Amino acid sequence: MTLHDLTHVHYPETQPRDRLREIERRLPASLQRASRILVDSRFIAEEAIQHYSLPADKLQVAPLGAAPRFHPRDEHELQECLTSFGVGMRSYYLCVGTLEPRKNLKLAVDAYLGLPKSLRERMPLVIVGGAGWRQEQLEHIPARELSSGRIRLLGYQSGECVPQLLAGAHALLFPSRYEGFGLPVLEALASATPVIACDHAAVPEVAGDAALYADAEDTDGYRTQMLRLIQDSDLHQRLRQEGLQRSRQFSWERCARITTDTYKAARYS
């Protein structure tokens, strides 16, 4: 079986009650019954070993990868997409993720709202993501920010839209409280786009030193990192290069190979 994360243990309030009840009813017995357990990160492996008293040799880490469509792109290639959303190359912050409490988008919004108005007018915050459970976390956004276009809620986007928005963003804001991996982070790194994330769970394992971090409760600290990327062009360029290099340590081919080997081991154990 595959265990992606232990959100239900650490943040049960971010799960609908019926989903939480089913997880708690089924998961412990399933983990004991499985002969092999795949996880996306060492972080989750260690959590599962500790919380469920599992033997270490029962777990196998199979890190995820970024699809080929996530890669650096020049301004000419992105012009049609960016123009359609009214933004310019490297002139917007981007959030990508389902609109639900665990993604902690309120932190990114509050940090953004604390930026100088002059900066917000030339650097909008673009939020891409489908409606999730309890999306009312974003209802506090002032109407003037939405009507002015300084904050833009694009909803769910499919196809090439997300890869292109990632490649053109000044930075990906990824304030999630808890992730078993953090796939949008890797996709941003592969697109040569800097990332500002929270220093929790598996995200530092994915991004390493190629991202900036802040605490998930520290609005001022998160805003400071956003300003650093605006004020320090050398830092921005360095993170672009280091992120691209970091992303090459991950691939779906490697994930598939580990997964296949683990299933074979489970079959013959």
Side-chain angles (χ1 to χ4, degrees):
M1 66 176 292
T2 297
L3 176 66
H4 289 294
D5 58 59
L6 273 69
T7 303
H8 62 287
V9 173
H10 300 289
Y11 298 98
E13 71 278 7
T14 68
Q15 302 286 329
R17 289 185 180 180
D18 55 346
R19 181 193 303 167
L20 186 63
R21 186 165 50 248
E22 280 299 289
I23 292 173
E24 292 175 339
R25 183 171 72 89
R26 295 175 179 270
L27 184 58
S30 298
L31 290 171
Q32 296 299 326
R33 187 168 62 250
S35 59
R36 294 290 190 278
I37 301 166
L38 285 159
V39 293
D40 301 335
S41 61
R42 293 190 304 274
F43 173 83
I44 295 301
E46 292 165 1
E47 284 211 323
I49 290 167
Q50 180 177 1
H51 187 78
Y52 290 105
S53 300
L54 297 170
D57 60 1
K58 196 174 186 177
L59 287 102
Q60 176 62 58
V61 178
L64 309 183
R69 65 181 180 275
F70 295 98
H71 60 84
R73 303 172 189 241
D74 60 32
E75 186 172 0
H76 176 75
E77 186 178 358
L78 298 176
Q79 185 174 4
E80 182 177 349
C81 171
L82 299 186
T83 300
S84 69
F85 290 114
V87 294
M89 187 73 170
R90 304 288 173 202
S91 63
Y92 59 95
Y93 295 106
L94 178 67
C95 288
V96 175
T98 305
L99 307 185
E100 61 182 12
R102 179 170 61 92
K103 298 301 183 181
N104 200 26
L105 294 177
K106 186 177 185 299
L107 174 70
V109 170
D110 288 347
Y112 177 80
L113 291 174
L115 295 174
K117 183 179 179 181
S118 59
L119 176 55
R120 286 183 281 123
E121 287 178 341
R122 65 182 177 88
M123 188 77 70
L125 172 61
V126 177
I127 300 176
V128 175
W133 181 69
R134 290 188 57 193
Q135 63 171 334
E136 66 269 16
Q137 61 175 314
L138 298 180
E139 290 180 355
H140 75 295
I141 298 176
R144 64 180 180 275
E145 298 296 319
L146 296 172
S147 62
S148 67
R150 289 190 289 265
I151 296 181
R152 308 180 188 193
L153 304 177
L154 302 189
Y156 174 79
Q157 299 290 328
S158 60
E160 277 289 295
C161 179
V162 173
Q164 291 190 26
L165 283 170
L166 266 176
H170 183 77
L172 173 71
L173 307 183
F174 196 77
S176 180
R177 297 176 183 274
Y178 181 85
E179 293 287 332
F181 187 84
L183 192 54
V185 169
L186 179 59
E187 292 168 344
L189 299 181
S191 304
T193 294
V195 174
I196 305 175
C198 289
D199 56 358
H200 294 355
V203 171
E205 183 179 330
V206 175
D209 294 332
L212 299 179
Y213 300 98
D215 185 84
E217 305 296 334
D218 186 1
T219 303
D220 290 339
Y222 207 87
R223 184 184 304 116
T224 296
Q225 299 291 44
M226 294 168 69
L227 286 169
R228 284 183 68 195
L229 279 184
I230 291 290
Q231 298 165 350
D232 191 339
S233 58
D234 290 340
L235 172 63
H236 189 273
Q237 184 60 27
R238 177 172 63 80
L239 289 176
R240 290 191 64 201
Q241 295 171 351
E242 292 181 359
L244 189 58
Q245 290 296 323
R246 179 77 180 182
S247 72
R248 291 169 179 158
Q249 299 180 26
F250 301 84
S251 73
W252 282 120
E253 289 79 9
R254 178 189 176 203
C255 180
R257 184 172 62 253
I258 295 172
T259 300
T260 300
D261 291 345
T262 303
Y263 269 72
K264 289 178 180 178
R267 177 183 180 185
Y268 295 112
S269 62

